[in-house]
Amino acid sequence: MPIESDEELREVLDYENVAVVGCSSTPGKDAHDVPKYLQEHGYTVVPVNPYADEVLGREAYDSLSEVEERVDVVDVFRPSEEVAGIVDEAIDRDDVKAVWTQLGIRDDEAAAKAEDAGLRVVQDKCIKVEHRRLLG
């Protein structure tokens, strides 16, 4: 079951390195402003966007599998139909601890697959909103 309890959400929010799949270089978009908020609150944000060279002052990677840095949490800003492929990439890495899909994004089958592989899953929640609510 995807994480719902505040205690478990806090545990995921304690991880430090967040790869943001679908990170936007456009200020004003949630996919830009949420990662910026995370960065401002001490997280290492790793942007994943094949259409940008740099986002938030950091090199942007074309895909999660190309990220060379450690990734604790994969934060997904892509349509629900793309979650399964992102989960597969997360499972293939040996460093990912959790997959977090933003508001309006969910794939129950992919979530179950991630959990079966030992990853924690948060679905259909904004990481910024939850951070503010629980830790802000």
Side-chain angles (χ1 to χ4, degrees), residues 13 20 22 24 34 41 51 54-55 61 65 68 78 87 89-90 93 104 120 127 130:
L13 290 167
V20 181
S24 176
V34 171
H41 285 82
Y51 304 106
E54 183 181 296
V55 180
Y61 292 90
S65 58
E68 298 169 0
R78 299 298 303 148
V87 163
E89 284 186 89
R93 297 181 63 93
R120 303 175 95 173
I127 195 168
E130 297 303 321

Side-chain angles (χ1 to χ4, degrees), residues 20 22-39 45 55-57 77:
V20 181
C23 193
S24 176
S25 57
T26 307
K29 285 185 139 187
D30 289 341
H32 178 272
D33 295 348
V34 171
K36 182 178 179 192
Y37 170 89
L38 294 175
Q39 200 176 51
V45 172
V55 180
L56 299 169
F77 276 96

Side-chain angles (χ1 to χ4, degrees), residues 4-11 13 100 128-136:
E4 292 290 336
S5 77
D6 287 352
E7 180 182 333
E8 288 180 294
L9 287 170
R10 276 189 196 94
E11 289 172 6
L13 290 167
W100 187 305
K128 176 181 174 181
V129 169
E130 297 303 321
H131 182 274
R132 272 191 180 153
R133 185 174 71 82
L134 297 169
L135 303 174

Side-chain angles (χ1 to χ4, degrees), residues 21 48 62-67 71 74 82-96 99 113 119:
V21 179
V48 178
D62 288 345
S63 67
L64 182 60
S65 58
E66 292 181 21
V67 173
V71 173
V74 177
E82 294 182 26
V83 171
I86 295 165
V87 163
D88 288 343
E89 284 186 89
I91 291 169
D92 286 345
R93 297 181 63 93
D94 60 4
D95 52 355
V96 175
V99 174
K113 184 175 183 178
L119 302 181

